Short mmCIF file of all heavy atoms in Angstrom, two decimals:
data_model
loop_
_atom_site.label_atom_id
_atom_site.label_comp_id
_atom_site.label_asym_id
_atom_site.label_seq_id
_atom_site.Cartn_x
_atom_site.Cartn_y
_atom_site.Cartn_z
N GLY A 303 16.05 80.39 -53.51
CA GLY A 303 15.64 79.63 -52.31
C GLY A 303 16.38 80.05 -51.05
O GLY A 303 17.58 80.33 -51.09
N THR A 304 15.67 80.07 -49.95
CA THR A 304 16.28 80.43 -48.66
C THR A 304 17.40 79.47 -48.26
O THR A 304 18.34 79.86 -47.57
CB THR A 304 15.19 80.50 -47.56
OG1 THR A 304 15.82 80.65 -46.29
CG2 THR A 304 14.34 79.26 -47.51
N ASP A 305 17.30 78.21 -48.72
CA ASP A 305 18.35 77.25 -48.34
C ASP A 305 19.70 77.57 -48.99
O ASP A 305 20.74 77.11 -48.54
CB ASP A 305 17.93 75.83 -48.72
CG ASP A 305 16.79 75.35 -47.85
OD1 ASP A 305 16.76 75.74 -46.67
OD2 ASP A 305 15.93 74.59 -48.34
N PHE A 306 19.67 78.37 -50.08
CA PHE A 306 20.94 78.76 -50.72
C PHE A 306 21.53 80.01 -50.06
O PHE A 306 22.66 80.38 -50.36
CB PHE A 306 20.72 79.07 -52.20
CG PHE A 306 20.21 77.89 -53.00
CD1 PHE A 306 18.91 77.86 -53.47
CD2 PHE A 306 21.03 76.81 -53.27
CE1 PHE A 306 18.43 76.78 -54.20
CE2 PHE A 306 20.57 75.73 -54.00
CZ PHE A 306 19.25 75.72 -54.46
N MET A 307 20.74 80.67 -49.23
CA MET A 307 21.15 81.99 -48.73
C MET A 307 22.46 81.95 -47.93
O MET A 307 23.36 82.76 -48.20
CB MET A 307 20.00 82.62 -47.94
CG MET A 307 20.23 84.04 -47.49
SD MET A 307 21.16 84.12 -45.95
CE MET A 307 19.93 83.58 -44.79
N PRO A 308 22.61 81.04 -46.94
CA PRO A 308 23.88 81.05 -46.18
C PRO A 308 25.09 80.79 -47.08
O PRO A 308 26.17 81.36 -46.87
CB PRO A 308 23.70 79.92 -45.17
CG PRO A 308 22.22 79.73 -45.06
CD PRO A 308 21.67 80.03 -46.42
N LEU A 309 24.90 79.94 -48.10
CA LEU A 309 25.99 79.65 -49.04
C LEU A 309 26.31 80.89 -49.86
O LEU A 309 27.48 81.23 -50.08
CB LEU A 309 25.58 78.50 -49.96
CG LEU A 309 25.16 77.20 -49.24
CD1 LEU A 309 24.21 76.38 -50.10
CD2 LEU A 309 26.38 76.38 -48.85
N ALA A 310 25.25 81.60 -50.29
CA ALA A 310 25.45 82.81 -51.10
C ALA A 310 26.11 83.91 -50.28
O ALA A 310 26.98 84.63 -50.79
CB ALA A 310 24.10 83.28 -51.65
N VAL A 311 25.73 84.03 -49.01
CA VAL A 311 26.36 85.06 -48.17
C VAL A 311 27.87 84.78 -48.05
O VAL A 311 28.70 85.69 -48.10
CB VAL A 311 25.68 85.12 -46.77
CG1 VAL A 311 26.52 85.92 -45.78
CG2 VAL A 311 24.28 85.71 -46.89
N THR A 312 28.21 83.51 -47.93
CA THR A 312 29.62 83.13 -47.83
C THR A 312 30.37 83.49 -49.13
O THR A 312 31.47 84.04 -49.09
CB THR A 312 29.73 81.62 -47.54
OG1 THR A 312 29.02 81.37 -46.34
CG2 THR A 312 31.16 81.18 -47.39
N LEU A 313 29.71 83.21 -50.25
CA LEU A 313 30.33 83.55 -51.54
C LEU A 313 30.50 85.07 -51.65
O LEU A 313 31.56 85.56 -52.07
CB LEU A 313 29.41 83.02 -52.65
CG LEU A 313 29.82 83.21 -54.10
CD1 LEU A 313 31.21 82.65 -54.35
CD2 LEU A 313 28.82 82.51 -55.01
N LEU A 314 29.48 85.81 -51.25
CA LEU A 314 29.55 87.28 -51.32
C LEU A 314 30.59 87.83 -50.35
O LEU A 314 31.17 88.89 -50.61
CB LEU A 314 28.17 87.89 -51.01
CG LEU A 314 27.10 87.64 -52.09
CD1 LEU A 314 25.71 87.96 -51.55
CD2 LEU A 314 27.41 88.46 -53.35
N ALA A 315 30.82 87.10 -49.27
CA ALA A 315 31.79 87.58 -48.26
C ALA A 315 33.20 87.68 -48.84
O ALA A 315 34.03 88.42 -48.31
CB ALA A 315 31.78 86.65 -47.04
N VAL A 316 33.46 86.94 -49.93
CA VAL A 316 34.79 87.00 -50.55
C VAL A 316 34.72 87.52 -51.99
O VAL A 316 35.66 87.37 -52.76
CB VAL A 316 35.52 85.63 -50.49
CG1 VAL A 316 35.89 85.29 -49.06
CG2 VAL A 316 34.68 84.53 -51.11
N ALA A 317 33.56 88.09 -52.37
CA ALA A 317 33.41 88.64 -53.72
C ALA A 317 33.90 90.09 -53.74
O ALA A 317 34.16 90.69 -52.70
CB ALA A 317 31.95 88.55 -54.17
N GLN A 318 33.97 90.63 -54.95
CA GLN A 318 34.40 92.03 -55.13
C GLN A 318 33.18 92.93 -55.01
O GLN A 318 32.24 92.78 -55.78
CB GLN A 318 34.97 92.14 -56.56
CG GLN A 318 35.45 93.49 -56.95
CD GLN A 318 36.94 93.60 -56.70
OE1 GLN A 318 37.69 92.70 -57.05
NE2 GLN A 318 37.35 94.68 -56.08
N GLY A 319 33.17 93.82 -54.02
CA GLY A 319 32.05 94.76 -53.91
C GLY A 319 31.12 94.45 -52.74
O GLY A 319 31.39 93.56 -51.92
N THR A 320 30.03 95.21 -52.70
CA THR A 320 29.09 95.13 -51.58
C THR A 320 27.73 94.65 -52.08
O THR A 320 27.27 95.09 -53.13
CB THR A 320 28.94 96.52 -50.93
OG1 THR A 320 30.23 96.92 -50.45
CG2 THR A 320 27.96 96.51 -49.78
N ALA A 321 27.09 93.78 -51.32
CA ALA A 321 25.76 93.27 -51.71
C ALA A 321 24.80 93.36 -50.54
O ALA A 321 25.21 93.29 -49.37
CB ALA A 321 25.88 91.81 -52.15
N ILE A 322 23.53 93.51 -50.87
CA ILE A 322 22.48 93.46 -49.85
C ILE A 322 21.73 92.15 -50.03
O ILE A 322 21.25 91.85 -51.13
CB ILE A 322 21.52 94.66 -49.98
CG1 ILE A 322 22.31 95.94 -49.77
CG2 ILE A 322 20.37 94.55 -48.98
CD1 ILE A 322 21.52 97.20 -49.92
N VAL A 323 21.66 91.39 -48.96
CA VAL A 323 20.94 90.11 -49.00
C VAL A 323 19.71 90.24 -48.12
O VAL A 323 19.80 90.66 -46.97
CB VAL A 323 21.84 88.96 -48.48
CG1 VAL A 323 21.08 87.64 -48.45
CG2 VAL A 323 23.09 88.83 -49.36
N THR A 324 18.55 89.89 -48.68
CA THR A 324 17.29 89.99 -47.94
C THR A 324 16.69 88.61 -47.78
O THR A 324 16.53 87.88 -48.78
CB THR A 324 16.30 90.91 -48.70
OG1 THR A 324 16.95 92.16 -48.92
CG2 THR A 324 15.02 91.14 -47.90
N GLU A 325 16.38 88.24 -46.55
CA GLU A 325 15.79 86.92 -46.28
C GLU A 325 14.29 87.10 -46.06
O GLU A 325 13.87 87.71 -45.08
CB GLU A 325 16.46 86.30 -45.04
CG GLU A 325 15.80 85.05 -44.50
CD GLU A 325 15.65 83.91 -45.51
OE1 GLU A 325 16.63 83.58 -46.18
OE2 GLU A 325 14.53 83.37 -45.61
N ASN A 326 13.49 86.59 -46.99
CA ASN A 326 12.04 86.80 -46.93
C ASN A 326 11.25 85.59 -46.44
O ASN A 326 10.03 85.68 -46.32
CB ASN A 326 11.52 87.16 -48.34
CG ASN A 326 12.00 88.53 -48.79
OD1 ASN A 326 11.87 89.50 -48.05
ND2 ASN A 326 12.57 88.62 -49.98
N VAL A 327 11.93 84.47 -46.20
CA VAL A 327 11.16 83.25 -45.89
C VAL A 327 11.19 82.93 -44.39
O VAL A 327 10.15 82.68 -43.78
CB VAL A 327 11.68 82.06 -46.73
CG1 VAL A 327 10.90 80.80 -46.40
CG2 VAL A 327 11.56 82.39 -48.22
N PHE A 328 12.36 82.95 -43.78
CA PHE A 328 12.47 82.68 -42.33
C PHE A 328 12.94 83.95 -41.62
O PHE A 328 13.70 84.74 -42.18
CB PHE A 328 13.44 81.53 -42.07
CG PHE A 328 12.89 80.20 -42.51
CD1 PHE A 328 13.36 79.57 -43.65
CD2 PHE A 328 11.86 79.58 -41.80
CE1 PHE A 328 12.84 78.36 -44.06
CE2 PHE A 328 11.32 78.37 -42.22
CZ PHE A 328 11.81 77.75 -43.34
N ASP A 329 12.50 84.10 -40.37
CA ASP A 329 12.80 85.38 -39.70
C ASP A 329 14.06 85.33 -38.83
O ASP A 329 14.41 86.33 -38.22
CB ASP A 329 11.59 85.87 -38.90
CG ASP A 329 11.11 84.86 -37.88
OD1 ASP A 329 11.87 83.91 -37.60
OD2 ASP A 329 9.99 85.01 -37.37
N GLY A 330 14.76 84.20 -38.77
CA GLY A 330 15.95 84.16 -37.93
C GLY A 330 17.09 83.40 -38.57
O GLY A 330 17.77 82.61 -37.92
N ARG A 331 17.29 83.64 -39.87
CA ARG A 331 18.25 82.78 -40.56
C ARG A 331 19.64 83.39 -40.68
O ARG A 331 20.50 82.86 -41.39
CB ARG A 331 17.70 82.39 -41.93
CG ARG A 331 18.25 81.07 -42.39
CD ARG A 331 17.50 80.36 -43.44
NE ARG A 331 18.06 79.01 -43.54
CZ ARG A 331 17.61 78.06 -44.32
NH1 ARG A 331 16.60 78.26 -45.09
NH2 ARG A 331 18.19 76.87 -44.34
N PHE A 332 19.89 84.52 -40.02
CA PHE A 332 21.22 85.14 -40.13
C PHE A 332 22.13 84.81 -38.95
O PHE A 332 23.20 85.40 -38.80
CB PHE A 332 21.09 86.65 -40.28
CG PHE A 332 20.70 87.10 -41.67
CD1 PHE A 332 19.66 87.98 -41.86
CD2 PHE A 332 21.39 86.63 -42.78
CE1 PHE A 332 19.30 88.41 -43.14
CE2 PHE A 332 21.04 87.05 -44.07
CZ PHE A 332 20.00 87.93 -44.24
N GLY A 333 21.70 83.88 -38.08
CA GLY A 333 22.51 83.55 -36.89
C GLY A 333 23.93 83.13 -37.25
O GLY A 333 24.89 83.42 -36.53
N PHE A 334 24.07 82.46 -38.40
CA PHE A 334 25.39 81.94 -38.79
C PHE A 334 26.37 83.06 -39.13
O PHE A 334 27.57 82.83 -39.21
CB PHE A 334 25.23 81.03 -40.02
CG PHE A 334 24.90 81.77 -41.27
CD1 PHE A 334 25.90 82.12 -42.19
CD2 PHE A 334 23.61 82.17 -41.54
CE1 PHE A 334 25.61 82.84 -43.33
CE2 PHE A 334 23.30 82.89 -42.68
CZ PHE A 334 24.29 83.22 -43.56
N VAL A 335 25.85 84.28 -39.36
CA VAL A 335 26.73 85.38 -39.76
C VAL A 335 27.78 85.65 -38.67
O VAL A 335 28.94 85.96 -38.98
CB VAL A 335 25.89 86.65 -40.09
CG1 VAL A 335 26.76 87.89 -40.11
CG2 VAL A 335 25.18 86.46 -41.43
N ASP A 336 27.40 85.48 -37.41
CA ASP A 336 28.38 85.67 -36.32
C ASP A 336 29.58 84.73 -36.48
O ASP A 336 30.71 85.07 -36.13
CB ASP A 336 27.73 85.44 -34.95
CG ASP A 336 26.82 86.60 -34.57
OD1 ASP A 336 26.90 87.66 -35.22
OD2 ASP A 336 26.01 86.44 -33.63
N GLU A 337 29.32 83.55 -37.00
CA GLU A 337 30.42 82.60 -37.21
C GLU A 337 31.31 83.07 -38.37
O GLU A 337 32.53 82.98 -38.30
CB GLU A 337 29.87 81.19 -37.49
CG GLU A 337 28.98 80.64 -36.38
CD GLU A 337 29.71 80.45 -35.07
OE1 GLU A 337 30.77 79.80 -35.05
OE2 GLU A 337 29.21 80.98 -34.04
N LEU A 338 30.65 83.61 -39.43
CA LEU A 338 31.45 84.14 -40.56
C LEU A 338 32.30 85.33 -40.12
O LEU A 338 33.41 85.53 -40.61
CB LEU A 338 30.54 84.56 -41.72
CG LEU A 338 30.06 83.47 -42.68
CD1 LEU A 338 29.18 84.10 -43.77
CD2 LEU A 338 31.22 82.73 -43.33
#
Side-chain angles (χ1 to χ4, degrees):
T304 171
D305 290 327
F306 299 109
M307 186 276 287
L309 304 155
V311 166
T312 302
L313 181 55
L314 291 166
V316 291
Q318 179 95 45
T320 299
I322 298 178
V323 177
T324 305
E325 170 57 48
N326 291 310
V327 180
F328 290 106
D329 57 14
R331 207 160 191 176
F332 283 130
F334 71 97
V335 164
D336 286 346
E337 301 297 307
L338 278 181

